[in-house]
Amino acid sequence: MLEIKNLHAKIAGEETEILRGVDLTVPTGEVHAIMGPNGSGKSTLAYILAGKDDYEVTQGDILWNGKSIMEMSPDERAAEGIFLAFQYPIEIPGVATMTFLRTAVNSIRKKRGTEELTTPAFMRFVKEKAGDLGISMDMLKRPLNVGFSGGEKKRMEVLQMSMLEPTMCVLDETDSGLDIDAIKIVAEGANKMRSPDRSMLVITHYQRLLDFIVPDKVHVLAHGKIQRSGDKNLALELEKSGYAEFGEKAA
Ligand SMILES: Nc1ncnc2c1ncn2[C@@H]1O[C@H](COP(=O)(O)OP(=O)(O)O)[C@@H](O)[C@H]1O
Ligand SMILES: [Mg+2]
């Protein structure tokens, strides 16, 4: 279970608070969506969960299965099962995607105390997961994300997620820049990972993705706080009304 308690945060070195008292609980096994206008702090929240050090938490706490993660490094958080799929995935020139994936998978397995995968076992694993997402072996030989289209980058993020088998998945705007077929592939990948012992936080500006990843709960983030929570119908309502009632111009 993820518990975010009265979280206040800002960019390191800046004055203005972006998050001003976020309270949010995602029980184990549930999928929650965070919606909100552009600039409301959705990505900030995602980065803070992952432990990115450009941000400073000034108040509050984040508990993962009852334990505070505030003092943990991004690597330690990953080892605890927390995974963030970025809105803007990073490119790593010079490192073949396959090599990157193998290193990531084995380092997580090591930290979790499971055995590293042998080369044949890894190849079987990556082929199966990549096949599900329509990612070719040729693409895996190319440097990570370099020259990948928006859709290919998003599918790569979901591939990483499905191979790292996290227990807390944070998907930040996994739908942006995707055509409808790519959204379906990505959503199917995420849906396959739904499980009673895994939680997901799906961050999106538009309701569209939530037609495919149907959330248990929807929360609206605006002005640095969760302003409203509801079931999936709240997303449909927002699609009609925009974010005007939260003092923002309609999407
Ligand atoms: N690196 C940064 N430097 C300065 N301001 C930033 C930075 N990242 C985000 N912000 C500001 O913080 C606010 C929240 O941004 P963000 O979390 O990206 O919102 P969202 O993901 O909801 O669109 C915005 O006002 C944005 O301009
Ligand atoms: Mg964002």
Side-chain angles (χ1 to χ4, degrees):
M1 177 161 81
L2 177 75
E3 294 165 279
I4 300 173
K5 295 184 168 179
N6 188 33
L7 189 70
H8 289 250
K10 59 190 186 69
I11 308 233
E14 306 257 330
E15 286 300 308
T16 324
E17 277 194 336
I18 300 172
L19 303 181
R20 303 174 196 150
V22 172
D23 283 294
L24 179 68
T25 299
V26 186
T28 304
E30 290 193 7
V31 176
H32 287 206
I34 294 190
M35 299 182 73
N38 281 321
S40 58
K42 303 183 297 297
S43 291
T44 300
L45 179 62
Y47 285 136
I48 288 173
L49 286 170
K52 200 167 182 241
D53 58 10
D54 304 348
Y55 298 90
E56 194 181 313
V57 171
T58 49
Q59 241 191 92
D61 203 355
I62 303 171
L63 306 181
W64 175 232
N65 296 331
K67 200 161 79 177
S68 176
I69 62 167
M70 299 308 290
E71 301 303 323
M72 291 183 195
S73 69
D75 273 1
E76 287 168 329
R77 294 178 196 206
E80 292 286 332
I82 299 172
F83 176 90
L84 168 64
F86 293 108
Q87 182 171 9
Y88 303 106
I90 43 162
E91 300 183 358
I92 311 186
V95 177
T97 302
M98 190 82 91
T99 310
F100 170 85
L101 287 171
R102 188 164 177 196
T103 309
V105 166
N106 279 334
S107 89
I108 283 276
R109 290 179 72 93
K110 212 168 160 184
K111 286 197 191 95
R112 291 180 188 155
T114 43
E115 260 178 54
E116 291 191 13
L117 292 176
T118 60
T119 302
F122 174 78
M123 291 308 289
R124 274 197 302 276
F125 188 35
V126 76
K127 267 189 187 147
E128 181 204 323
K129 299 288 184 187
D132 287 348
L133 288 160
I135 294 172
S136 69
M137 285 297 118
D138 274 350
M139 209 168 125
L140 295 178
K141 287 177 192 147
R142 287 160 55 188
L144 182 68
N145 288 327
V146 178
F148 287 15
S149 71
E152 288 171 341
K153 285 181 182 174
K154 297 296 160 118
R155 277 187 278 155
M156 195 54 70
E157 292 281 301
V158 176
L159 176 62
Q160 284 172 45
M161 181 169 84
S162 69
M163 295 191 73
L164 296 177
E165 300 172 320
T167 43
M168 176 77 230
C169 305
V170 184
L171 303 170
D172 188 10
E173 306 268 7
T174 301
D175 52 337
S176 64
L178 296 189
D179 60 32
I180 203 74
D181 291 328
I183 287 185
K184 283 184 188 161
I185 290 176
V186 164
E188 205 180 296
N191 282 332
K192 259 194 189 161
M193 295 192 66
R194 290 180 94 138
S195 125
D197 37 44
R198 178 173 289 131
S199 309
M200 283 193 202
L201 201 53
V202 179
I203 297 175
T204 183
H205 181 80
Y206 296 110
Q207 183 268 339
R208 189 171 62 160
L209 180 67
L210 305 181
D211 283 336
F212 302 104
I213 306 176
V214 180
D216 296 299
K217 277 214 173 106
V218 174
H219 310 274
V220 181
L221 179 66
H223 302 297
K225 279 188 177 187
I226 301 295
Q227 304 286 350
R228 250 180 92 185
S229 298
D231 63 12
K232 62 179 196 291
N233 294 314
L234 175 56
L236 294 168
E237 201 183 299
L238 286 167
E239 185 71 1
K240 289 203 197 85
S241 62
Y243 295 104
E245 69 170 293
F246 306 103
E248 309 277 346
K249 62 179 188 323

mmCIF file of all heavy atoms in Angstrom, residues 9 12 17 55 68 74 91 94 103 124 131 141-142 150 163 172 225 236 241 244:
data_model
loop_
_atom_site.group_PDB
_atom_site.id
_atom_site.type_symbol
_atom_site.label_atom_id
_atom_site.label_comp_id
_atom_site.label_asym_id
_atom_site.label_seq_id
_atom_site.Cartn_x
_atom_site.Cartn_y
_atom_site.Cartn_z
ATOM 1 N N ALA A 9 6.082 19.945 -1.619
ATOM 2 C CA ALA A 9 7.355 19.828 -2.325
ATOM 3 C C ALA A 9 7.563 20.972 -3.287
ATOM 4 O O ALA A 9 6.609 21.609 -3.748
ATOM 5 C CB ALA A 9 7.406 18.500 -3.073
ATOM 6 N N ALA A 12 14.177 21.895 -6.046
ATOM 7 C CA ALA A 12 15.308 22.246 -5.177
ATOM 8 C C ALA A 12 15.838 23.626 -5.565
ATOM 9 O O ALA A 12 16.049 23.907 -6.748
ATOM 10 C CB ALA A 12 16.386 21.180 -5.288
ATOM 11 N N GLU A 17 6.113 26.445 -3.782
ATOM 12 C CA GLU A 17 5.707 25.053 -3.589
ATOM 13 C C GLU A 17 4.867 24.607 -4.773
ATOM 14 O O GLU A 17 3.974 25.333 -5.212
ATOM 15 C CB GLU A 17 4.869 24.927 -2.315
ATOM 16 C CG GLU A 17 5.704 24.805 -1.063
ATOM 17 C CD GLU A 17 4.867 24.344 0.133
ATOM 18 O OE1 GLU A 17 3.639 24.560 0.128
ATOM 19 O OE2 GLU A 17 5.466 23.787 1.053
ATOM 20 N N TYR A 55 14.080 17.570 -6.739
ATOM 21 C CA TYR A 55 12.930 18.046 -5.975
ATOM 22 C C TYR A 55 13.226 17.967 -4.483
ATOM 23 O O TYR A 55 13.999 17.142 -4.040
ATOM 24 C CB TYR A 55 11.687 17.222 -6.296
ATOM 25 C CG TYR A 55 11.303 17.346 -7.745
ATOM 26 C CD1 TYR A 55 11.823 16.459 -8.698
ATOM 27 C CD2 TYR A 55 10.480 18.363 -8.189
ATOM 28 C CE1 TYR A 55 11.508 16.590 -10.041
ATOM 29 C CE2 TYR A 55 10.155 18.507 -9.525
ATOM 30 C CZ TYR A 55 10.684 17.613 -10.453
ATOM 31 O OH TYR A 55 10.383 17.744 -11.782
ATOM 32 N N SER A 68 8.614 4.434 5.576
ATOM 33 C CA SER A 68 8.895 5.684 4.876
ATOM 34 C C SER A 68 9.985 5.473 3.824
ATOM 35 O O SER A 68 11.003 4.831 4.082
ATOM 36 C CB SER A 68 9.356 6.752 5.862
ATOM 37 O OG SER A 68 9.713 7.927 5.144
ATOM 38 N N PRO A 74 16.898 6.437 -5.305
ATOM 39 C CA PRO A 74 16.064 5.871 -6.378
ATOM 40 C C PRO A 74 16.294 4.364 -6.558
ATOM 41 O O PRO A 74 15.340 3.612 -6.764
ATOM 42 C CB PRO A 74 16.526 6.648 -7.614
ATOM 43 C CG PRO A 74 16.978 7.958 -7.075
ATOM 44 C CD PRO A 74 17.608 7.645 -5.747
ATOM 45 N N GLU A 91 17.169 8.943 -23.301
ATOM 46 C CA GLU A 91 17.906 8.227 -24.350
ATOM 47 C C GLU A 91 19.287 7.892 -23.822
ATOM 48 O O GLU A 91 19.900 8.701 -23.143
ATOM 49 C CB GLU A 91 18.037 9.129 -25.582
ATOM 50 C CG GLU A 91 16.693 9.531 -26.150
ATOM 51 C CD GLU A 91 16.796 10.368 -27.420
ATOM 52 O OE1 GLU A 91 17.922 10.685 -27.848
ATOM 53 O OE2 GLU A 91 15.730 10.689 -27.976
ATOM 54 N N GLY A 94 24.808 4.648 -27.259
ATOM 55 C CA GLY A 94 25.946 3.760 -26.998
ATOM 56 C C GLY A 94 25.608 2.529 -26.182
ATOM 57 O O GLY A 94 26.452 1.660 -26.004
ATOM 58 N N THR A 103 20.912 -5.626 -17.827
ATOM 59 C CA THR A 103 21.553 -5.066 -16.637
ATOM 60 C C THR A 103 20.503 -4.665 -15.603
ATOM 61 O O THR A 103 20.642 -4.958 -14.409
ATOM 62 C CB THR A 103 22.392 -3.821 -17.026
ATOM 63 O OG1 THR A 103 23.243 -4.180 -18.106
ATOM 64 C CG2 THR A 103 23.231 -3.334 -15.866
ATOM 65 N N ARG A 124 14.769 -15.671 -23.635
ATOM 66 C CA ARG A 124 13.386 -16.167 -23.695
ATOM 67 C C ARG A 124 12.428 -15.140 -23.093
ATOM 68 O O ARG A 124 11.373 -14.844 -23.635
ATOM 69 C CB ARG A 124 13.267 -17.497 -22.923
ATOM 70 C CG ARG A 124 13.607 -18.725 -23.739
ATOM 71 C CD ARG A 124 13.079 -19.998 -23.070
ATOM 72 N NE ARG A 124 13.582 -20.186 -21.721
ATOM 73 C CZ ARG A 124 14.759 -20.755 -21.422
ATOM 74 N NH1 ARG A 124 15.545 -21.203 -22.385
ATOM 75 N NH2 ARG A 124 15.140 -20.874 -20.171
ATOM 76 N N GLY A 131 7.487 -9.358 -27.591
ATOM 77 C CA GLY A 131 6.497 -9.815 -28.560
ATOM 78 C C GLY A 131 5.104 -9.325 -28.197
ATOM 79 O O GLY A 131 4.357 -8.839 -29.049
ATOM 80 N N LYS A 141 18.190 -4.083 -30.454
ATOM 81 C CA LYS A 141 19.638 -4.006 -30.717
ATOM 82 C C LYS A 141 20.092 -2.563 -30.824
ATOM 83 O O LYS A 141 21.282 -2.257 -30.738
ATOM 84 C CB LYS A 141 19.980 -4.768 -31.998
ATOM 85 C CG LYS A 141 19.892 -6.273 -31.804
ATOM 86 C CD LYS A 141 20.169 -7.016 -33.108
ATOM 87 C CE LYS A 141 19.789 -8.497 -32.964
ATOM 88 N NZ LYS A 141 19.303 -9.052 -34.226
ATOM 89 N N ARG A 142 19.134 -1.659 -31.023
ATOM 90 C CA ARG A 142 19.493 -0.237 -31.146
ATOM 91 C C ARG A 142 19.721 0.379 -29.769
ATOM 92 O O ARG A 142 19.247 -0.129 -28.767
ATOM 93 C CB ARG A 142 18.361 0.504 -31.884
ATOM 94 C CG ARG A 142 18.334 0.155 -33.372
ATOM 95 C CD ARG A 142 16.999 0.452 -34.010
ATOM 96 N NE ARG A 142 16.575 1.843 -33.822
ATOM 97 C CZ ARG A 142 15.369 2.295 -34.169
ATOM 98 N NH1 ARG A 142 14.477 1.472 -34.689
ATOM 99 N NH2 ARG A 142 15.060 3.554 -33.973
ATOM 100 N N GLY A 150 7.840 8.512 -30.492
ATOM 101 C CA GLY A 150 7.154 8.671 -29.204
ATOM 102 C C GLY A 150 6.495 7.371 -28.766
ATOM 103 O O GLY A 150 6.634 6.936 -27.629
ATOM 104 N N MET A 163 9.239 -6.319 -17.390
ATOM 105 C CA MET A 163 10.392 -7.178 -17.078
ATOM 106 C C MET A 163 10.898 -6.995 -15.655
ATOM 107 O O MET A 163 11.436 -7.913 -15.048
ATOM 108 C CB MET A 163 11.515 -6.926 -18.082
ATOM 109 C CG MET A 163 11.095 -7.344 -19.492
ATOM 110 S SD MET A 163 12.453 -7.357 -20.645
ATOM 111 C CE MET A 163 13.329 -8.817 -20.102
ATOM 112 N N ASP A 172 3.489 7.860 -15.978
ATOM 113 C CA ASP A 172 3.268 9.292 -16.167
ATOM 114 C C ASP A 172 2.962 9.596 -17.627
ATOM 115 O O ASP A 172 3.838 9.507 -18.479
ATOM 116 C CB ASP A 172 4.495 10.079 -15.707
ATOM 117 C CG ASP A 172 4.244 11.586 -15.706
ATOM 118 O OD1 ASP A 172 3.083 11.995 -15.871
ATOM 119 O OD2 ASP A 172 5.216 12.342 -15.536
ATOM 120 N N LYS A 225 -2.935 20.155 -4.635
ATOM 121 C CA LYS A 225 -3.635 19.233 -3.734
ATOM 122 C C LYS A 225 -4.591 18.332 -4.499
ATOM 123 O O LYS A 225 -5.014 18.682 -5.595
ATOM 124 C CB LYS A 225 -4.510 20.024 -2.742
ATOM 125 C CG LYS A 225 -3.772 20.586 -1.577
ATOM 126 C CD LYS A 225 -4.785 21.163 -0.607
ATOM 127 C CE LYS A 225 -4.081 21.685 0.629
ATOM 128 N NZ LYS A 225 -4.996 22.091 1.658
ATOM 129 N N LEU A 236 -14.873 10.676 -16.732
ATOM 130 C CA LEU A 236 -15.809 10.979 -17.829
ATOM 131 C C LEU A 236 -16.405 12.373 -17.654
ATOM 132 O O LEU A 236 -16.548 13.128 -18.613
ATOM 133 C CB LEU A 236 -16.932 9.933 -17.876
ATOM 134 C CG LEU A 236 -16.484 8.518 -18.249
ATOM 135 C CD1 LEU A 236 -17.587 7.499 -17.986
ATOM 136 C CD2 LEU A 236 -16.053 8.465 -19.716
ATOM 137 N N SER A 241 -16.448 18.519 -18.713
ATOM 138 C CA SER A 241 -16.426 19.854 -18.101
ATOM 139 C C SER A 241 -15.041 20.492 -18.130
ATOM 140 O O SER A 241 -14.905 21.680 -17.888
ATOM 141 C CB SER A 241 -16.900 19.748 -16.656
ATOM 142 O OG SER A 241 -16.026 18.920 -15.923
ATOM 143 N N ALA A 244 -12.300 23.406 -15.428
ATOM 144 C CA ALA A 244 -12.746 24.764 -15.106
ATOM 145 C C ALA A 244 -13.138 24.929 -13.635
ATOM 146 O O ALA A 244 -12.796 25.920 -13.001
ATOM 147 C CB ALA A 244 -13.913 25.138 -16.008
#
